[in-house]
Amino acid sequence: CGRTDAEGHDTCTHKGPRSAQPEHDQACPFRVETCEHCERLVCARRLVAHLASCDQRKAICESCGELLLVTKLKSHTKSECAKNARAEKNACAFARFGCSFSGCRDAMEKHEAQSAPDHLRMVSLAVEASSVSYDAWYKDVSSVRDELVKIVTATTKSVQAVSLETKRVVDCQMIETEKMQTAFADLRAHYEFQLGKVKETHRIRALASEKRLNAVVTENELLRTQLSLKMSKERGAAIETGVFAKIAQVKHFVEAAVSTETASNEKHARRWETDVTRILESVVDAKAWVDKSTLDLHTRIAKHEVDDDNRRERCDEELAEFNCETINDLAELSKRQQNLEKRW
């Protein structure tokens, strides 16, 4: 025979005389038959199984007696059959506008055809209600926007006031710093001038003392010369002793004066260093206070700006979200109204 099964890849192994070929062709299990439902060509040995599972075979609905495809029988029984008490009831497409009808597909089609004027009236009422709610929403949005403008304006004024106060404080501190620097320079110049005067006085006194000492020494030499010529040796020794005593007194006086001037100079130097240290500490404290005040003010300004940005973003997000919802509702209402007009 040589026929093959295209699905199973098997081959008929029948062998016989050529005269018996027509009879075998009618009974060969590998012959090709046509499905009565889908008209597909199927191997005869697979025809029974194909007829049992063919998706184009028809069956009768037990409730209404309608002849349907097997693939559609389940959905028909579940939602379309008007005589099936257990069929699911679908809500009307206009239920959100107030229609309370529910039923199977056929009943729904009749309801939509008969209740079109009622549906149109419901949609019109919903549109009017949406217009009223939109007006109320717009008033709320306007009040929120006005409140936001007030908050932003007040915050801007507060920031400007803080900025002006910061500038004023910084300018005042700069002026005070310049004044303290000027006073410090004047004080330093004064102490340097006084120290120069003290040093000059000390130099003049030292020169005068040196001249006086030299004069005394010269006078002593002259007296010694004259006494060596006129006086006895004992008398000269006594006068020499007196002269040396006077020289020692003068030298002690000079040393005391020098010591006093040195102590006075050291005292003035220590006082000058103390005053300079105190002024420098005052300048450092003032600068630190100015830096801290400026930093606090900048921190407050930054915080106000961040709070204002956050409030503004929240308001914008709420407005955008509400606008989207309202636009979507209006678009849905417009679409349904257009569908109703097309049906009319």
Side-chain angles (χ1 to χ4, degrees):
C1 177
R3 291 188 178 91
T4 59
D5 185 357
E7 297 181 3
H9 304 289
D10 294 333
T11 304
C12 180
T13 59
H14 173 77
K15 294 180 180 181
R18 188 176 297 276
S19 59
Q21 185 66 32
E23 183 179 355
H24 173 71
D25 289 341
Q26 295 180 357
C28 180
F30 288 90
R31 71 185 183 279
V32 177
E33 298 287 344
T34 302
C35 177
E36 62 182 5
H37 301 304
C38 64
E39 297 183 355
R40 288 175 56 189
L41 298 178
V42 184
C43 184
R45 69 174 190 164
R46 298 181 183 276
L47 182 60
V48 176
H50 173 76
L51 291 175
S53 61
C54 181
D55 55 2
Q56 295 296 320
R57 72 186 189 280
K58 296 183 178 181
I60 298 175
C61 176
E62 297 179 355
S63 299
C64 63
E66 184 178 355
L67 185 63
L68 301 169
L69 293 176
V70 174
T71 55
K72 297 182 178 181
L73 181 62
K74 185 176 181 180
S75 61
H76 169 77
T77 305
K78 185 177 181 181
S79 60
E80 299 177 4
C81 184
K83 296 183 179 180
N84 187 5
R86 294 178 296 175
E88 292 182 356
K89 305 297 182 180
N90 297 322
C92 179
F94 295 89
R96 59 178 300 185
F97 299 106
C99 183
S100 59
F101 179 82
S102 62
C104 60
R105 189 178 66 176
D106 296 338
M108 187 63 66
E109 292 178 354
K110 294 180 181 179
H111 166 72
E112 290 179 353
Q114 295 175 357
S115 303
D118 296 334
H119 290 165
L120 181 61
R121 183 173 56 83
M122 292 178 184
V123 173
S124 300
L125 293 176
V127 171
E128 293 177 359
S130 298
S131 301
V132 174
S133 62
Y134 179 80
D135 294 336
W137 168 83
Y138 186 77
K139 290 181 181 179
D140 294 337
V141 171
S142 299
S143 62
V144 172
R145 182 185 60 191
D146 296 339
E147 186 67 22
L148 181 61
V149 170
K150 291 180 181 179
I151 293 173
V152 172
T153 303
T155 306
T156 304
K157 292 181 179 179
S158 176
V159 171
Q160 292 177 353
V162 172
S163 300
L164 293 175
E165 181 66 18
T166 303
K167 187 176 182 301
R168 186 187 68 79
V169 172
V170 172
D171 292 340
C172 291
Q173 293 301 323
M174 291 296 294
I175 293 172
E176 292 294 330
T177 303
E178 291 177 356
K179 288 182 179 179
M180 293 180 71
Q181 290 178 350
T182 304
F184 174 69
D186 293 340
L187 181 63
R188 182 173 183 176
H190 172 71
Y191 278 114
E192 289 179 351
F193 177 73
Q194 292 295 330
L195 183 61
K197 286 177 64 177
V198 170
K199 289 182 178 180
E200 184 66 22
T201 302
H202 175 66
R203 188 182 65 82
I204 293 172
R205 289 183 180 180
L207 291 174
S209 299
E210 186 178 358
K211 288 180 180 180
R212 186 176 178 185
L213 183 60
N214 291 332
V216 171
V217 171
T218 303
E219 185 180 358
N220 184 26
E221 292 295 332
L222 293 174
L223 288 175
R224 288 181 66 182
T225 303
Q226 292 177 1
L227 287 175
S228 64
L229 297 175
K230 296 180 179 181
M231 294 183 180
S232 62
K233 188 175 183 180
E234 291 80 5
R235 181 65 177 171
I239 292 174
E240 185 177 1
T241 302
V243 171
F244 280 129
K246 286 197 174 285
I247 291 173
Q249 290 179 359
V250 172
K251 186 177 181 181
H252 178 70
F253 174 76
V254 171
E255 291 177 352
V258 171
S259 177
T260 303
E261 291 297 334
T262 303
S264 178
N265 291 338
E266 292 177 353
K267 181 179 178 180
H268 283 293
R270 288 193 299 271
R271 181 180 176 187
W272 180 76
E273 290 178 357
T274 302
D275 292 339
V276 170
T277 303
R278 186 174 63 253
I279 291 172
L280 289 176
E281 291 176 354
S282 299
V283 171
V284 171
D285 293 339
K287 185 178 179 181
W289 183 82
V290 170
D291 293 340
K292 183 179 179 182
S293 301
T294 304
L295 181 61
D296 292 339
L297 290 173
H298 284 302
T299 303
R300 290 171 57 191
I301 292 172
K303 184 178 179 181
H304 282 300
E305 291 178 351
V306 171
D307 293 340
D308 293 340
D309 293 338
N310 293 334
R311 284 197 293 268
R312 192 180 299 108
E313 290 179 358
R314 287 197 299 271
C315 291
D316 291 339
E317 290 176 357
E318 292 177 358
L319 291 176
E321 183 178 358
F322 199 81
N323 281 332
C324 290
E325 293 178 356
T326 304
I327 291 171
N328 291 334
D329 292 339
L330 293 177
E332 183 67 21
L333 291 174
S334 176
K335 183 178 179 180
R336 292 183 179 277
Q337 188 173 3
Q338 290 176 0
N339 293 333
L340 287 175
E341 291 175 354
K342 288 180 181 180
R343 291 181 182 179
W344 276 93

